[in-house]
Amino acid sequence: MVKFLIIGDSCVDKFIYGECDRICPEAPVPVFNPTRKTENGGMAENVKANIESLDVSCDIITNTQMITKTRYVDNKTNQMLLRVDEDDYCDRIDSGIITDIDVEKYDAIIISDYCKGFLNEDDIEYICNLSDNVFLNTKKKITSKFLGARFIQLNQYEYEESKKEINYMIDKIKDKLIITYGDKGCYYKDELYPPPRKVEARDLSGAGDTFISAFSVSMVKNNDVNKSIDFAQECACDVVTKRGVVTI
């Protein structure tokens, strides 16, 4: 039975939906009347939920401190009016937890690093060197310390932020790097992989979590990069058509 380990910072994702029919008389801001709320695990917890939705067993090592992201969304337009991030930082992982990881229990490790303080560069480097099957998704700038990962997933903005550093080590990283470009698809080894179909995106929240989850599971099961990218994009296309942070 395939088993994964997720390591990274997590949060609670809240979506408060409501009606927004008038402007406040005291200030030029909308008046929001909440009607319903959804709540689920986000960031690394969302990766775990996506992995499990693919019928793969999964453990997680994450922060215990509560980070909460609350989004206020208009029912009619699906427009996000405001996002409020509470306690947007957590303590660093205890080094003893990392050194105690029993790598033999897992077929793959996913590092889901949202740069909230749980993992620093040295932690990521250590984890990347624990296994031949480490998949990294990070908000940090890419450095040579991350080259132990089998694959590194970045979105377009994250790639642009690290482009200078990546170019310095392009020969060592080009076979590892997957760059997602939203509705344009993704690039791997300078080849564009277009999305499988055009969809009307209702909410992009969590799409990167879905991509890394689906890609990693497919790679472990099939060891085929092309097939795994296609599967990951198919899954991402599915979740963005739904409201909120949802799983495959």
Side-chain angles (χ1 to χ4, degrees), residues 128-174:
C128 284
N129 292 323
L130 281 177
S131 165
D132 293 333
N133 249 0
V134 175
F135 299 83
L136 172 61
N137 186 6
T138 181
K139 304 298 181 187
K140 292 181 176 61
K141 281 193 174 183
I142 302 302
T143 77
S144 60
K145 291 186 176 184
F146 303 163
L147 291 175
R150 184 178 180 188
F151 288 98
I152 301 170
Q153 177 199 330
L154 302 174
N155 62 33
Q156 181 179 3
Y157 173 79
E158 293 158 355
Y159 170 69
E160 293 296 334
E161 288 288 292
S162 290
K163 193 171 183 178
K164 183 177 179 180
E165 291 81 358
I166 289 170
N167 286 338
Y168 280 136
M169 50 184 174
I170 191 65
D171 290 339
K172 296 179 180 178
I173 202 173
K174 62 183 179 181

Side-chain angles (χ1 to χ4, degrees), residues 13-238:
D13 276 321
K14 291 183 180 180
F15 285 79
I16 299 176
Y17 297 94
E19 306 301 331
C20 185
D21 297 323
R22 61 192 178 96
I23 299 298
C24 173
E26 294 94 0
V29 295
V31 176
F32 185 78
N33 178 30
T35 57
R36 67 183 180 93
K37 178 177 74 172
T38 65
E39 184 175 312
N40 53 269
M43 302 194 304
E45 285 283 0
N46 187 44
V47 174
K48 179 177 184 289
N50 274 275
I51 294 290
E52 290 175 337
S53 74
L54 292 169
D55 294 324
V56 173
S57 177
C58 184
D59 291 337
I60 188 169
I61 298 173
T62 190
N63 49 290
T64 56
Q65 293 146 300
M66 185 72 74
I67 297 173
T68 304
K69 298 180 181 180
T70 305
R71 302 163 176 89
Y72 295 83
V73 183
D74 178 52
N75 274 329
K76 293 189 186 73
T77 63
N78 202 44
Q79 175 69 44
M80 187 189 302
L81 304 176
L82 177 69
R83 192 177 107 175
V84 179
D85 290 3
E86 300 174 77
D87 303 313
D88 199 32
Y89 191 80
C90 61
D91 291 337
R92 182 185 171 191
I93 188 173
D94 189 299
S95 59
I97 294 176
I98 298 178
T99 55
D100 286 344
I101 294 173
D102 184 1
V103 181
E104 299 302 319
K105 289 173 55 179
Y106 303 105
D107 297 280
I109 298 173
I110 297 179
I111 301 173
S112 179
D113 172 43
Y114 273 80
C115 211
K116 303 299 182 183
F118 192 64
L119 299 171
N120 66 20
E121 288 185 3
D122 292 335
D123 298 326
I124 293 175
E125 179 182 33
Y126 183 88
I127 298 166
C128 284
N129 292 323
L130 281 177
S131 165
D132 293 333
N133 249 0
V134 175
F135 299 83
L136 172 61
N137 186 6
T138 181
K139 304 298 181 187
K140 292 181 176 61
K141 281 193 174 183
I142 302 302
T143 77
S144 60
K145 291 186 176 184
F146 303 163
L147 291 175
R150 184 178 180 188
F151 288 98
I152 301 170
Q153 177 199 330
L154 302 174
N155 62 33
Q156 181 179 3
Y157 173 79
E158 293 158 355
Y159 170 69
E160 293 296 334
E161 288 288 292
S162 290
K163 193 171 183 178
K164 183 177 179 180
E165 291 81 358
I166 289 170
N167 286 338
Y168 280 136
M169 50 184 174
I170 191 65
D171 290 339
K172 296 179 180 178
I173 202 173
K174 62 183 179 181
D175 292 343
K176 303 174 182 288
L177 194 62
I178 298 173
I179 308 163
T180 58
Y181 279 77
D183 61 0
K184 296 178 182 177
C186 69
Y187 278 90
Y188 176 64
K189 295 171 69 172
D190 294 325
E191 180 180 348
L192 175 64
Y193 290 74
R197 64 187 189 279
K198 287 188 177 296
V199 298
E200 182 180 349
R202 303 187 74 186
D203 200 323
L204 301 179
S205 306
D209 299 334
T210 296
F211 187 98
I212 192 71
S213 302
F215 176 79
S216 303
V217 168
S218 181
M219 279 300 300
V220 168
K221 290 184 175 182
N222 302 302
N223 197 31
D224 185 317
V225 176
N226 294 334
K227 181 182 291 187
S228 298
I229 288 176
D230 289 343
F231 179 63
Q233 293 204 110
E234 180 68 41
C235 292
C237 280
D238 181 49

